[in-house]
């Protein structure tokens, strides 16, 4: 039961609310910028590894993309295990059946291998544009095969 004599809670001042919103927006912008920088760096390094010669005489190239994928996945696994080790109190057990993860993992490893191989023929920016443009044919097929309709905005976004 509510106490009649209790003082009503006051709403936070407008300035404090606006400052909190600005801080959240600034943090989101910082996080998005960090992700952008990391992905650009990752793409640059990927392309450099696959297209530039190395070795004693600068005449050798990486020939095994699967090895690069394995190194990538082992590094990711190490980072994930570090986060799990240092961030206590949360449950990290899988919620889906393990075979579901295996199918997704296999598909991801194959796609990454193909991505590394494609870097032998096209630049990373070209490859990224190709991957992002793949939705347009999918949308066209959806329209032709099952009669799904899309707005012009959907094609442009």
């Amino acid at each position: 039961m509510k106490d009649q004599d209790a003082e009503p809670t006051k709403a936070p001042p407008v300035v404090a609310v606006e400052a909190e919103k600005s801080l959240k927006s600034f943090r989101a912008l910082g996080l998005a910028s960090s992700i952008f920088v990391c992905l650009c760096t990752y793409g640059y390094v990927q392309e450099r590894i696959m297209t530039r010669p190395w070795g004693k005489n600068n005449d050798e190239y990486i020939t095994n993309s699967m090895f690069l994928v394995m190194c990538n996945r082992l590094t990711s696994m190490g980072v994930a295990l570090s986060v799990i080790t240092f961030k206590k109190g949360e449950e990290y057990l899988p919620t889906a059946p393990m075979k579901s993860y295996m199918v997704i993992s296999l598909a991801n490893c194959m796609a990454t291998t193909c991505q590394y191989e494609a870097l032998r023929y096209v630049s990373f920016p070209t490859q990224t544009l190709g991957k992002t443009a793949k939705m347009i044919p999918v949308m066209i097929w959806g329209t032709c095969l099952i009669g799904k309709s899309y707005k012009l905005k959907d094609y442009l976004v």
Side-chain angles (χ1 to χ4, degrees):
M1 187 157 181
K2 214 174 190 184
D3 189 2
Q4 298 293 337
D5 297 330
E7 193 174 306
T9 56
K10 294 181 181 178
V14 173
V15 174
V17 172
E18 289 300 318
E20 186 177 334
K21 283 183 182 178
S22 295
L23 186 62
K24 284 183 179 180
S25 297
F26 185 70
R27 183 169 186 246
L29 181 64
L31 291 171
S33 299
S34 299
I35 290 170
F36 181 75
V37 167
C38 287
L39 289 175
C40 286
T41 303
Y42 178 67
Y44 173 76
V45 170
Q46 262 187 340
E47 185 172 352
R48 188 171 175 89
I49 287 171
M50 292 303 291
T51 60
R52 300 278 169 89
W54 57 278
K56 200 179 243 185
N57 298 325
N58 246 4
D59 61 348
E60 298 180 49
Y61 288 88
I62 297 286
T63 58
N64 192 344
S65 297
M66 287 299 288
F67 175 75
L68 293 174
V69 173
M70 182 189 72
C71 291
N72 183 310
R73 296 307 181 256
L74 289 174
T75 302
S76 298
M77 200 168 63
V79 170
L81 287 173
S82 298
V83 169
I84 288 171
T85 302
F86 293 114
K87 193 170 184 178
K88 307 237 187 236
E90 291 187 36
E91 189 66 36
Y92 291 104
L93 295 175
T95 55
M98 195 56 79
K99 70 178 180 182
S100 298
Y101 290 109
M102 290 188 321
V103 170
I104 292 168
S105 176
L106 180 63
N108 185 277
C109 285
M110 293 306 297
T112 305
T113 303
C114 292
Q115 177 180 336
Y116 276 114
E117 286 299 319
L119 285 173
R120 296 182 196 280
Y121 307 103
V122 296
S123 68
F124 187 79
T126 303
Q127 186 183 76
T128 303
L129 284 173
K131 286 193 301 188
T132 57
K134 69 183 174 189
M135 284 308 297
I136 295 172
V138 169
M139 293 168 75
I140 291 169
W141 274 106
T143 302
C144 294
L145 295 177
I146 60 174
K148 187 156 174 82
S149 64
Y150 297 97
K151 296 179 182 172
L152 178 61
K153 182 177 104 176
D154 294 328
Y155 284 102
L156 297 176
V157 173

